[in-house]
Structure formats: structure tokens, C-alpha cells
Amino acid sequence: MTSLKQALKTHFGFDTFRSKLQEDVVNAVIKGNRDVFVCMPTGAGKSLCYQLPAVMAGGITLVISPLIALIQDQVDHLRDRNIAACSINSKLPAAERRLILADLGSSSPRLKLLYITPEMVASSSFQPCLTDLCSRGLLSYLAVDEAHCVSQWGHDFRPDYLKLGELRARLQGVPCLALTATAPKNVQEDIVKSLRMHMPLSFMSPVFRSNLHYDVIYRDLLPNAYVHLLAFIKKAIADEQGCGIVYCRTREGCETVAHQLTKLGVSAKPYHAGLKAGDRTEAQSEWMQGKVLVIVATISFGMGVDKANVRFVAHWNLAKSLASYYQESGRAGRDGLPSCCRIYYSLKDKEQIYFLIRQEVKRKQEKRGSAKESDKTAVKDFEAMVSFCEQESCRHATISKFFGDKTPNCSKACDYCTNPKLVRAQLERAATLSTR
Ligand code: ADP
Ligand code: MG
Ligand code: ZN
């Protein structure tokens, strides 16, 4: 066994790496001669990419993470494994904070991982401590988790993350590692620029998932959209083993679609914020156990839900961006088996969402009293979603390009690559609809 695998086992109790990618990242981080950029989906095990190098290094690894709750979770987990980790944040009692600072100031600190929130980075009491550690060569790595928060293009933009560029500049010679689960090309570029990373090595899970079949159906052209959905569901869950998700934008939408499917003989349940908490939990657990085949939900459903045999994800309404769509539809086929992702596209739906987005932007501008460049982000994000539906080209290729990945070999895993003529015919029929 290599010393790396040995350390993985000793410190974390894992026999193997989650993936080749995880192992490659760990090796690159330990090598330490280049900054590292990591983009891997949620659950892929990004934390280990800095935690393992951190415990193997002589010094301290500084970890930036946006939320105290996330930090607490990780610190608890590390401490359970007997790894010296702690966090300095605004909620920390002064006495504990003094203890930590005393350890950091000692000639050989015990601490291995120090988690801090970005607003703490800038605090005047903490700055000298960091500078001191750095000058004594005791900082092993700087890890920036949820790095997309640095980008104004991202959906979780946090102004405090912008201060990290300065921090980075001050920590000369400390290798920097940025990690995120969602980063379209422009967000990736922002991260590298803002964190002043120098020609980072990039590690990305491939965007393309060959077991997912993508297609778009113009809902307005269907004589009976529910019957159409029913046929899709029956085909997707042919073996009776799987289940599926239909996403709707509104509560009423969820209720209607679930009701219609039930009427057509499919076991379906709605899931949205308007339900009593008990009903919501029940719907989710029945679906998890396979007692209900189809959950008809708003996007509040799915976070943290990790079900392997989701055979289809249908969008009855459009997602707000292509990034969101990739994430939502990506809940299908986690077991690697063939699964279907379909959008039931409607022009009326599109206009409605544009209207809502513009209203939201106007509300923000009125509150602020001025317009901002980033106001356009929401509109642009949605435009990418719309053009995905209205395009005449490979859907997988569009998604991969959006995330800055190479063009995949779709081999008929989308409607366009299967039958471009059908896609064209549908577009032509839709054009006559919209001018009527
Ligand atoms: P991410 O940050 O990418 O969403 P996490 O770092 O939170 O993922 O890890 C997700 C889960 O995977 C955690 O429960 C973690 O303990 C587990 N994990 C990470 N690496 C391994 C591994 N090599 N073997 C088994 N489980 C792992
Ligand atoms: Mg994480
Ligand atoms: Zn294709």
C-alpha cells in the first residue's frame, strides 16, 4: 500500500479513493507546485481533496467556506476522526478564540485545519496572525470551498469572497486550491481571476453523462399533454423498478399535474412549500421507498435527495437557467442506467417567466435606486435555457459547451442527434403557432 492510501485509511477510514479524479487532485495538491481548480458534483468528495493533503502536511491549511453551518459540520466530522480542526468565526466565544490564536502563535502549532468565513479573513485581529504564520512557513495550503461564491455571475455571490484575492496575494508561496460543484465557463474564469490563481491545474468531472437522453417537446402542439407525459413515463419506467420526477414552477402546477397523472392511473404525488410539513415528508418518503412512482415537485425538491434509480426527470416548466436545468435533470440516472430528461416547452410559459424575471429586476432596481450590470445576469441565464429549447443542434453539446467542457460524443443520446428532421419539423410547427 502506498503511503497515500495508508494515510487515507488511517485518517479517514477509506480503503480507496472515490474516483480516479479525487486521487489525481490529491496528488496534484500534495505536489504543491501549481494552484489547483476543482469542479466536481456535490457528493463527489471534494473536501477530502484538501483534508488529506492537510493532515499529511507539516503546517496548517486555511479553509475558506461561506457558511458557519457547513464549517461546523466539517469540523465536527474531522474531530470525530481525531484530526485537529477548528474554526474562527463571529460566533466563537472570545476565550476559545484566544486559545486558538495562542496555538497558532506557538512554535509548533497543533492545528491542521483552520476553517474561516470570508468576512473573518478581513478582520484586523486575524490578519497579523496569518501574516505571521505565512512568514514562518507554517501555512501549507489555502483552500477556497464553494469558490463560485466569488463570481457575480454565480447564484450565490458573496461580496466578502472578493476580499480573498487580496488575502491570496499576501500569502506568497502558499498553494491555492479552489473547489466548486457548479461552474459555467464565465464563472470559472471569474474564480481564477478573483483569487489571482496562477495558471491553475484544472480537474473537472466530465459534464457529459452518456446515459441521459435529452429531448424537448413543444407542449403547445400536443392535443393532450398529460397523455403525452403518461406515455413518456411508461416508457421510461418500463421495468417497474424505477421512479421519476416532474418539476413544475408553481404549487398549482404540481397539484394539477399530479392530479391528472393519478386520473390516468399513475401513482403520483405533489410536493411543494404549500403543503403541510407532514404531507411533504410523507410524499418524499413514499417516493423514496418506491410506493409512489412519480413525485410532482417544485425545485425545492431534490436537494440532498440521492436516489439511484430515477429513470426520468421531466420539466413541465422551464428551469431558470441552463446551469439549474443541468443540475435538476442530472438527478436522473445516478446509477448509470439509461434515463430520460425531457422538457415540455411552452411559449406561453417562456413569456411568463421572462415577465417574472424582469419584474424581479425592476423591484431590485427600485429598492436600490440604480441599475447594475449584474441585473442582466438573470435574463441572460434564462436566455441560455430558452435557446437550448429552441436550437437545432445536439443538446449534450450545448450543455458541455456551457460548462466549458469539450464537445461530447452524443451518439443519439438526444433528440437532435437521433432525428434532426423531427426537431426541425417541431420548430416549424411551433413557428406557425406563435404568429397566430
Ligand atoms: P462534496 O464537497 O464534493 O459535495 P464531500 O466532501 O462533502 O463532497 O463528500 C461527500 C461524502 O463522500 C462524504 O460523506 C465523504 O465522507 C464521502 N467520501 C469522500 N471521499 C471518500 C472516499 N474516498 N471513499 C468513501 N467516501 C468518501
Ligand atoms: Mg463540499
Ligand atoms: Zn446529441
Side-chain angles (χ1 to χ4, degrees):
M1 205 190 273
T2 63
S3 62
L4 189 59
K5 284 247 170 79
Q6 185 67 61
L8 179 67
K9 179 77 182 164
T10 314
H11 297 290
F12 296 91
F14 301 139
D15 292 316
T16 56
F17 284 98
R18 253 279 156 87
S19 58
K20 171 85 169 37
L21 200 60
Q22 192 187 42
E23 183 171 7
D24 289 348
V25 175
V26 169
N27 277 311
V29 172
I30 289 176
K31 205 165 170 214
N33 58 336
R34 298 264 299 268
D35 288 340
V36 171
F37 178 90
V38 179
C39 185
M40 276 158 45
T42 304
K46 288 186 288 299
S47 323
L48 190 97
C49 297
Y50 55 81
Q51 289 171 345
L52 181 54
V55 295
M56 294 179 77
I60 293 156
T61 295
L62 190 64
V63 184
I64 316 290
S65 180
L67 295 172
I68 295 180
L70 282 180
I71 290 178
Q72 204 49 53
D73 229 38
Q74 294 218 9
V75 169
D76 290 346
H77 185 72
L78 288 167
R79 285 191 179 165
D80 284 347
R81 300 227 48 106
N82 259 324
I83 295 168
C86 71
S87 140
I88 293 190
N89 59 64
S90 53
K91 296 217 173 102
L92 193 73
E96 285 184 41
R97 184 189 168 110
R98 268 196 301 276
L99 276 179
I100 295 171
L101 291 177
D103 179 54
L104 295 179
S106 69
S107 58
S108 52
R110 275 184 57 247
L111 203 61
K112 283 284 139 204
L113 289 118
L114 176 62
Y115 282 79
I116 53 175
T117 51
E119 62 271 16
M120 279 312 284
V121 166
S123 88
S124 55
S125 59
F126 190 53
Q127 278 307 320
C129 168
L130 271 188
T131 319
D132 174 53
L133 281 172
C134 187
S135 67
R136 290 191 291 149
L138 285 174
L139 279 186
S140 308
Y141 308 105
L142 168 68
V144 180
D145 210 347
E146 313 292 342
H148 56 276
C149 294
V150 86
S151 171
Q152 318 226 18
W153 299 104
H155 282 288
D156 297 319
F157 173 59
R158 273 157 216 266
D160 280 319
Y161 260 69
L162 290 175
K163 296 173 185 157
L164 298 178
E166 263 173 61
L167 172 77
R168 168 78 181 116
R170 243 177 299 119
L171 304 181
Q172 286 293 332
V174 179
C176 175
L177 170 70
L179 311 104
T180 177
T182 45
K185 196 93 178 76
N186 53 359
V187 175
Q188 288 170 30
E189 284 161 4
D190 255 12
I191 293 171
V192 169
K193 207 172 79 197
S194 299
L195 296 180
R196 307 189 200 178
M197 297 174 85
H198 184 62
M199 293 201 305
L201 281 170
S202 280
F203 293 89
M204 293 196 236
S205 309
V207 172
F208 177 52
R209 290 178 55 198
S210 60
N211 63 318
L212 300 186
H213 183 278
Y214 279 94
D215 66 7
V216 177
I217 300 289
Y218 276 61
R219 181 144 58 87
D220 309 327
L221 295 170
L222 303 172
N224 187 332
Y226 300 112
V227 171
H228 198 277
L229 176 63
L230 174 75
F232 169 70
I233 292 172
K234 288 223 159 126
K235 197 166 166 231
I237 320 185
D239 63 353
E240 309 285 323
Q241 288 292 311
C243 61
I245 308 171
V246 180
Y247 278 115
C248 297
R249 190 167 49 77
T250 63
R251 298 170 186 188
E252 300 75 50
C254 294
E255 293 290 341
T256 310
V257 172
H259 176 72
Q260 291 290 339
L261 286 178
T262 308
K263 244 174 55 182
L264 291 167
V266 184
S267 73
K269 277 208 165 171
Y271 179 101
H272 54 73
L275 294 172
K276 283 200 226 91
D279 293 345
R280 222 169 37 229
T281 317
E282 186 183 282
Q284 172 164 343
S285 74
E286 286 183 356
W287 180 79
M288 289 299 286
Q289 293 161 22
K291 289 185 197 152
V292 166
L293 280 192
V294 182
I295 194 130
V296 188
T298 53
I299 52 165
S300 62
F301 181 79
M303 312 227 178
V305 171
D306 198 5
K307 198 167 192 304
N309 65 344
V310 177
R311 291 281 70 84
F312 75 86
V313 173
H315 276 69
W316 201 246
N317 302 102
L318 286 171
K320 67 178 194 307
S321 67
L322 199 51
S324 307
Y325 180 61
Y326 178 68
Q327 199 170 37
E328 289 155 24
S329 60
R331 297 195 172 115
R334 289 243 168 101
D335 56 6
L337 296 175
S339 308
C340 304
C341 305
R342 169 171 290 179
I343 298 176
Y344 278 98
Y345 185 52
S346 150
L347 298 168
K348 209 170 99 197
D349 188 37
K350 170 180 81 172
E351 292 311 328
Q352 234 165 34
I353 297 176
Y354 265 126
F355 177 78
L356 292 172
I357 291 174
R358 288 201 197 94
Q359 246 188 352
E360 178 62 28
V361 169
K362 215 168 99 191
R363 221 183 356 252
K364 275 195 197 150
Q365 288 178 347
E366 278 168 5
K367 215 169 132 197
R368 204 188 308 125
S370 65
K372 251 192 353 197
E373 187 58 24
S374 60
D375 287 342
K376 290 183 199 140
T377 310
V379 177
K380 286 212 169 107
D381 281 348
F382 187 58
E383 275 169 1
M385 183 72 254
V386 168
S387 75
F388 174 87
C389 297
E390 299 187 346
Q391 73 185 17
E392 263 185 88
S393 56
C394 174
R395 316 266 181 203
H396 277 291
T398 303
I399 294 174
S400 288
K401 189 169 166 214
F402 179 78
F403 286 101
D405 207 350
K406 60 182 189 299
T407 305
N409 178 11
C410 177
S411 49
K412 302 200 176 177
C414 82
D415 51 354
Y416 181 81
C417 294
T418 310
N419 192 340
K421 280 189 192 140
L422 268 184
V423 173
R424 155 74 52 96
Q426 181 173 244
L427 284 171
E428 281 169 353
R429 284 178 59 210
T432 65
L433 259 186
S434 58
T435 53
R436 257 207 305 245

